[in-house]
Amino acid sequence: MNPFKKTGKSVSIFITAGYPEKESLTGQILFLQKQGIDFLEIGIPFSDPMADGPVIQETSAVALKNGMNLDRVFEQLSEIKEHITIPLVIMSYLNPILQFGVDLFLEKCESAGISGLIIPDLSFELVQKKYRHSFGSGKIPLIYLITPSTSDTRITQIVEASSNSFVYLVGQNKITGSSYSLSEHANRYSELKELCDEVPLFLGFGISSSEQKKAAFGFADGVIVGTAYLRAISEENDKEFIEKLLS
C-alpha cells in the first residue's frame, strides 16, 4: 500500500530538524499533524545544501549551530512515534548519511516508521549502480526528483521504481524558494502527470500561497511547501500561514 496515495489532493510541509531550536522538531510535527497536513518532509541540516535557497540554507546553519544531528533526530522521533499518524519523509544529502553509516541509518529510519527518503544528490542511476542493495532494497522507498526537462524515458524508469512512494516534481531548474509562473510549464506538467499514471506526483520548490497550491492541484496530486513555511516560523506566524495555506 502506498502511504502517499489518497483520493483527494495532498499538502506537505518541509521542516528543518533543529530549527528554530534544537528541540523544536517534535512540537512542529505534532502541530502540523493536528492542523491537517498530509505528510511531512524532515530536512536534515547540512553545511552544503546545494539544492536549497537562502532561507533553507539559513535554517540549516542555525540547526547545525544548535547542535542538531541525525542521532538527535532519531531520538526525537522515537519520543513521539506512538503519536504520529501521518507519513514522515526524511530529506538528507548523502554525506551525513554516509558519515552516520548507511545500514544504521536505514535501520533507524525503519524503527522510526519513516515512509520515504529524499536524497537530492543520489541519482536514480547511482542507486542502480552502487546502492541497489541498500537504498534500492525497497524497505524505505527512495523518492526521486524530476524537472520539466527530465526525459520521458527517465521519468518512466523512475515511476516504475516509485510504486510505494511518489515522484517529486521540481517546478523549475532553480533552487528552493525561487518564484516562477506555474502556467509557463502547464502543458509539460500535465504530460508529467500522465507519465506518472497511478504514482502520485507532488510539486515542490516555490509554492508559497493558497492560490499557487490550487493552481498546482490542476495537474499534480499535491504540493510540498518549505521556504514559505520556514519564513513564517521566523516571523512567528506559522499557525496563520498554515490556516491560509489550507483554506
Side-chain angles (χ1 to χ4, degrees):
M1 182 178 178
N2 189 335
F4 302 101
K5 191 173 181 179
K6 56 179 284 190
T7 302
K9 302 295 186 177
S10 296
V11 176
S12 172
I13 294 291
F14 171 95
I15 53 180
T16 300
Y19 178 84
E21 306 293 339
K22 186 177 182 179
E23 306 301 319
S24 297
L25 181 61
T26 55
Q28 287 180 335
I29 291 174
L30 296 176
F31 161 72
L32 291 167
Q33 177 176 274
K34 185 178 181 180
Q35 297 301 309
I37 296 302
D38 294 289
F39 70 93
L40 297 178
E41 184 181 335
I42 301 169
I44 305 303
F46 181 51
S47 57
D48 187 25
M50 63 181 184
D52 296 316
V55 172
I56 295 181
Q57 286 185 28
E58 175 60 23
T59 63
S60 190
V62 170
L64 289 172
K65 187 176 180 180
N66 288 341
M68 198 56 169
N69 54 41
L70 274 169
D71 278 316
R72 189 58 191 135
V73 168
F74 289 123
E75 288 172 3
Q76 291 185 11
L77 291 177
S78 68
E79 294 168 6
I80 60 170
K81 181 179 178 180
E82 295 181 358
H83 303 287
I84 298 174
T85 59
I86 59 176
L88 300 181
V89 172
I90 283 184
M91 196 291 281
S92 174
Y93 290 90
L94 185 58
N95 185 269
I97 298 173
L98 295 178
Q99 295 295 320
F100 190 79
V102 173
D103 291 340
L104 179 60
F105 172 77
L106 292 172
E107 288 174 12
K108 292 284 188 178
C109 284
E110 192 170 5
S111 176
I114 299 301
S115 297
L117 299 173
I118 298 173
I119 308 176
D121 53 347
L122 181 60
S123 68
F124 176 79
E125 291 77 13
L126 186 57
V127 170
Q128 303 306 308
K129 182 178 180 180
K130 189 174 181 180
Y131 294 103
R132 180 185 291 271
H133 298 296
S134 50
F135 294 116
S137 66
K139 286 187 176 181
I140 311 291
L142 271 179
I143 296 157
Y144 295 103
L145 281 66
I146 65 171
T147 72
S149 61
T150 303
S151 72
D152 290 4
T153 299
R154 190 167 189 269
I155 290 171
T156 299
Q157 293 173 331
I158 287 173
V159 169
E160 289 176 353
S162 304
S163 60
N164 293 323
S165 58
F166 63 89
V167 175
Y168 192 135
L169 171 57
V170 178
Q172 58 172 352
N173 296 324
K174 292 184 179 180
I175 56 175
T176 58
S178 302
S179 60
Y180 59 100
S181 171
L182 293 178
S183 61
E184 182 181 350
H185 298 290
N187 290 338
R188 180 55 176 163
Y189 292 155
S190 296
E191 292 173 355
L192 296 176
K193 173 54 189 165
E194 187 173 345
L195 287 168
C196 286
D197 196 20
E198 294 297 315
V199 174
L201 176 69
F202 296 133
L203 176 69
F205 285 52
I207 301 297
S208 61
S209 67
S210 177
E211 291 72 25
Q212 286 180 311
K213 175 201 72 174
K214 291 173 182 175
F217 283 173
F219 53 78
D221 298 293
V223 294
I224 299 173
V225 180
T227 295
Y229 176 68
L230 293 171
R231 188 178 291 119
I233 290 178
S234 68
E235 297 170 356
E236 299 185 354
N237 69 337
D238 47 323
K239 185 174 183 180
E240 179 183 350
F241 175 82
I242 291 299
E243 288 175 349
K244 289 181 178 178
L245 181 66
L246 294 178
S247 64

